[in-house]
Amino acid sequence: DAGITQSPRYKITETGRQVTLMCHQTWSHSYMFWYRQDLGHGLRLIYYSAAADITDKGEVPDGYVVSRSKTENFPLTLESATRSQTSVYFCASRTGREQYFGPGTRLTVT
Amino acid sequence: GENVEQHPSTLSVQEGDSAVIKCTYSDSASNYFPWYKQELGKGPQLIIDIRSNVGEKKDQRIAVTLNKTAKHFSLHITETQPEDSAVYFCAASLGASYDKVIFGPGTSLSVIP
């Protein structure tokens, strides 16, 4: 039972490149979320999805794109990476009140 | 929109002592307040939560209190153990739904054996 997985776990990319971070959950939870974690800011919501084909912006959506064609997958794309997007990215899914987080992807933009 | 503040940012306690982390929120419509624990290299994990119709909730060594009038809530850990060392995040719902929550900046707790 894998739960929620993220790939890759580590990524280094250059400014201007497109990067896609993958998130997969095995529970069929309706809600999924993408957060970024930066020192001093905690976890900030980028985008969330209430169901397949339903997505909405969070606190810091600029520079990011999401899609959700299947319930179990919620990829996050940085269309043109910038150094300010260097961060640790967490995907989460929710059932009831509790959010279940993946292990995170550490992204470095050089 | 909702703003969640959290204090202190770092906290060191001796094993066996108590630890208290305090949070404030700005949206009076918020009605759900979870606490997450993040161990090194892992994603956050829910440890306890409280709804606005409850003033206090306890689960073994951890407890959370809520003061809706003052818009602040606190996490209390008693008889701390080294495995309690982690980063703790408070959060508040965006409005009256727990579809989305806003997280505080986190508190790094170190329990010294």
Side-chain angles (χ1 to χ4, degrees), chain A residues 10-62:
Chain A
Y10 303 90
K11 177 74 176 178
I12 300 174
T13 192
E14 295 178 340
T15 302
R17 291 196 179 261
Q18 181 176 13
V19 177
T20 296
L21 309 184
M22 304 302 293
C23 178
H24 176 79
Q25 53 123 343
T26 60
W27 297 303
S28 298
H29 292 167
S30 295
Y31 276 86
M32 296 188 74
F33 307 84
W34 272 107
Y35 294 90
R36 59 176 291 172
Q37 183 174 28
D38 306 288
L39 197 62
H41 290 281
L43 293 151
R44 291 183 291 176
L45 182 64
I46 304 171
Y47 270 95
Y48 70 105
S49 169
D53 298 321
I54 301 175
T55 62
D56 205 352
K57 297 178 180 179
E59 301 170 83
V60 289
D62 293 344

Side-chain angles (χ1 to χ4, degrees), chain B residues 43-77:
Chain B
Q45 186 172 10
L46 181 71
I47 55 171
I48 195 169
D49 58 8
I50 191 168
R51 298 296 301 271
S52 60
N53 58 348
V54 175
E56 183 174 356
K57 184 177 178 180
K58 189 174 182 179
D59 183 5
Q60 298 182 337
R61 295 187 298 107
I62 60 174
V64 58
T65 59
L66 171 66
N67 183 326
K68 280 205 70 178
T69 302
K71 287 191 263 184
H72 63 72
F73 55 115
S74 300
L75 178 72
H76 304 252
I77 306 173

Side-chain angles (χ1 to χ4, degrees), chain B residues 14-58:
Chain B
Q14 290 291 136
E15 182 177 357
D17 287 350
S18 295
V20 180
I21 302 171
K22 298 182 178 182
C23 290
T24 61
Y25 62 99
S26 60
D27 186 358
S28 57
S30 295
N31 69 349
Y32 172 61
F33 308 91
W35 286 86
Y36 283 79
K37 175 184 179 182
Q38 184 179 26
E39 297 177 346
L40 196 62
K42 296 183 178 180
Q45 186 172 10
L46 181 71
I47 55 171
I48 195 169
D49 58 8
I50 191 168
R51 298 296 301 271
S52 60
N53 58 348
V54 175
E56 183 174 356
K57 184 177 178 180
K58 189 174 182 179

